Amino acid sequence: MENRSATWPLLSLRAGRPQPFGPRGEPSAIDKQALSEPEFLDFAGFGSDQQGDPRHHGGPEKAVHHYAAEHYSMWAFELSAVPGVQNLAVGGFGENISTYGLTEDTVSAGDIFRLGHALIQVSQPRQPCWKLNVRFNVEQMALRVQTSGRTGWYYRVLEPGWVAPDSNLARVERPYPAWTLSRILNVLYRNRLDTDELRALAAVGALTEKMRQLVEKRLSLRKVEPWARRLDGVSPSQVG
């Protein structure tokens, strides 16, 4: 088992409550606000953080959402010619925490971090959904995010504890160093029916049960699950 220690300071600690979102006013807590005081992180997430759609967001396997701050400058460049882009700053992706120096290329499934007094473990990359289309006011933003590999990722909580806005994130263990999130995303969205990679991914014990089931279903059916409902549920042209 690989064990590497490194530390990254938090740029932002954020939480949100459900508010009406999109043309149908569906509840969403994607608009998370920066916290100024320490927050207790339990197995289900931060105390003041809530989810508008608990079927697909939050819960013990997705208790904390992390998005790499350096990705925002890349999005700003790529979307510079797109009119009306919104929320293209830290917090835009509805993340709970943000740092510089950790990306999908350098974080692996199962990586364990000390965050303040809590202990957390990477559980899976984010699967982008249609709410990003509305959030950023960009047609097919969810698909852009999926294709880019700049998705962000989730943690489960191994040990609850207090987290301050100026806490550090310290990596303490790497049980699956070969399974970077970028490699997982490549299996999910590029080489989608590579049976060797799918079998190997299904054996990664730190992966969430839902993602493991998705991989095993692909292997069984020899076809890729449909993405349209997740990616295109709503487009900006439907808003208003």
Side-chain angles (χ1 to χ4, degrees), residues 107-110 122-125 127 176 178-219 225:
V107 174
S108 296
V122 178
S123 58
Q124 70 166 71
Q127 293 176 283
Y176 301 97
W179 275 104
T180 64
L181 298 175
S182 290
R183 181 181 175 188
I184 295 173
L185 291 164
N186 186 66
V187 174
L188 292 176
Y189 304 127
R190 296 185 184 92
N191 297 331
R192 297 168 288 181
L193 291 175
D194 184 324
T195 54
D196 290 340
E197 283 287 89
L198 286 168
R199 288 193 188 99
L201 180 56
V204 176
L207 205 64
T208 64
E209 183 60 26
K210 284 189 176 181
M211 185 155 283
R212 186 177 297 107
Q213 289 173 357
L214 181 153
V215 171
E216 290 173 346
K217 188 173 182 179
R218 269 196 207 176
L219 279 167
E225 68 284 351

Side-chain angles (χ1 to χ4, degrees), residues 11-15 33-39 48 96 162-167:
L11 294 177
S12 183
L13 177 65
R14 312 179 81 89
Q33 302 300 308
L35 301 174
S36 59
E37 300 293 334
E39 186 87 358
S48 65
N96 296 112
W162 286 94
V163 180
D166 61 352
S167 289

